[in-house]
Amino acid sequence: MGIDVRKEIQDFLSSRRARLTPDQVGMPTFGGGVRRVPGLRRHEVAMLAGVSVDYYTRLERGTLKGVSDSVLDGLAAALRLDEDERTHLWDLARLANAGVKTMHRNVPTRVRPGVQQLLDAITGAPAWVRNERGDVVATNELGRALYSPMFAGPGRPVNTARFTFLDPAAREFFPDWAQTARDAVAILRAAAVANPCEPGLVTLVGELSTRSEEFRTWWAAHDVRSHRTGRKRIEHPVVGRLELTYEALDLVADPGLTMFTYGAEPGSESERNLALLGTWAATERSERSAAV
């Protein structure tokens, strides 16, 4: 089972076109009144991209094979694509040219000993590593403590999207659940094109689509994100509210793996709660050792 490349292209381009208005792109409107369809019309995108209407229509019908970089650049500019969406467009073009099977690669499910040693050396901040489908493949002690409700769930491998959509605890754990959930979908949508036909990803998307109406709705929106930096609010069952910033770092020697680290504003209540979480995690470790 794989993705329908033509439909992916068609839905992505049409959804990007539908979200824009003539005012947003500096284009005059004529005749007044309300448009019968949302967003820009095809001939307007074609004009902005510097191509003919017939040519743009072919593109939006799913034909990106043989399209030049200059046309892709024009298309990205016309549709006001951000960096993640541009990357997604180029992945779609490569997929159209090379085929689904040739782009398939295995997803790593563990880290090298050196990466785990690096995680363990980070003692003052939560840190963990995930693969592109959201499986948590390694953590340090504080990272595991931060996401303890996720590790307490029954699903294996531990997966951020599965926890977010299928574990009731997630809606309390993430005060901004809807945004967190939409972000998870956008990450998986980008991964599905960057690495099509990956069995674990296909299975995960199928499971979430079957069991979550919200996932199905947001999956159809074709939004894509990578989320390299940002803020995260967490309602932790042990220490309470945490407002953290995070940074993501791709592991260059391990393609497909990304490390996340979290920090709190110096002097804030979140910093104090994070320190308390570290104490709790150390106590839990000591109790486990004593029980062995």
Side-chain angles (χ1 to χ4, degrees):
M1 176 182 171
I3 65 173
D4 184 333
V5 181
R6 291 181 67 92
K7 190 171 189 327
E8 285 289 322
I9 295 168
Q10 177 183 351
D11 290 348
F12 179 66
L13 293 181
S14 60
S15 66
R16 300 311 92 175
R17 175 168 64 86
R19 70 181 180 176
L20 294 173
T21 65
D23 286 344
Q24 286 175 303
V25 298
M27 182 171 286
T29 56
F30 302 98
V34 178
R35 291 187 164 205
R36 288 178 296 175
V37 294
L40 296 178
R41 293 164 179 157
R42 284 178 175 173
H43 73 270
E44 292 169 332
V45 176
M47 184 172 65
L48 291 168
V51 298
S52 70
V53 178
D54 286 344
Y55 188 61
Y56 175 73
T57 300
R58 285 176 50 209
L59 299 180
E60 196 175 287
R61 286 176 177 167
T63 305
L64 286 183
K65 188 172 184 178
V67 175
S68 68
D69 287 350
S70 61
V71 169
L72 292 176
D73 279 331
L75 195 55
L79 294 172
R80 301 296 194 266
L81 302 187
D82 63 23
E83 182 179 350
D84 293 330
E85 291 168 333
R86 283 174 175 265
T87 299
H88 190 66
L89 178 62
W90 258 258
D91 283 341
L92 286 169
R94 282 194 294 271
L95 197 56
N97 282 284
V100 171
K101 292 183 179 179
T102 60
M103 290 183 66
H104 170 240
R105 64 181 181 277
N106 293 328
V107 170
T109 56
R110 58 177 58 89
V111 297
R112 292 178 292 108
V115 175
Q116 185 62 61
Q117 291 167 12
L118 175 60
L119 285 170
D120 292 337
I122 303 173
T123 56
W128 55 287
V129 175
R130 68 159 172 82
N131 59 27
E132 58 200 274
R133 64 176 177 243
D135 296 340
V136 179
V137 300
T139 72
N140 66 359
E141 184 174 82
L142 199 50
R144 189 180 184 91
L146 179 65
Y147 281 97
S148 54
M150 183 165 64
F151 285 93
R156 293 295 181 273
V158 174
N159 180 275
T160 55
R162 185 182 291 112
F163 170 71
T164 301
F165 281 97
L166 302 185
D167 193 326
R171 296 178 186 256
E172 295 184 11
F173 187 71
F174 296 120
D176 306 309
W177 180 85
Q179 186 58 55
T180 298
R182 292 190 71 127
D183 288 348
V185 176
I187 291 169
L188 289 181
R189 170 61 78 178
V193 169
N195 190 13
C197 287
E198 196 286 306
L201 180 57
V202 170
T203 299
L204 177 63
V205 171
E207 177 187 7
L208 296 176
S209 297
T210 300
R211 299 178 61 186
S212 171
E213 182 179 352
E214 289 129 323
F215 182 88
R216 289 195 300 274
T217 299
W218 291 329
W219 183 257
H222 284 263
D223 292 331
V224 291
R225 292 289 181 271
S226 59
H227 303 292
R228 298 305 181 193
T229 184
R231 302 185 66 86
K232 180 79 74 176
R233 293 200 308 156
I234 287 172
E235 193 67 40
H236 198 277
V238 175
V239 301
R241 178 62 58 89
L242 291 164
E243 297 190 9
L244 307 173
T245 58
Y246 67 86
E247 298 290 336
L249 176 67
D250 288 336
L251 301 183
V252 178
D254 302 285
L257 292 182
T258 304
M259 180 183 294
F260 290 82
T261 59
Y262 292 79
E265 185 75 23
S268 66
E269 183 179 0
S270 290
E271 184 183 49
R272 292 188 290 273
N273 286 345
L274 199 56
L276 182 60
L277 183 63
T279 301
W280 174 76
T283 301
E284 290 286 298
R285 171 169 40 84
S286 297
E287 291 178 352
R288 286 196 302 270
S289 298
V292 174

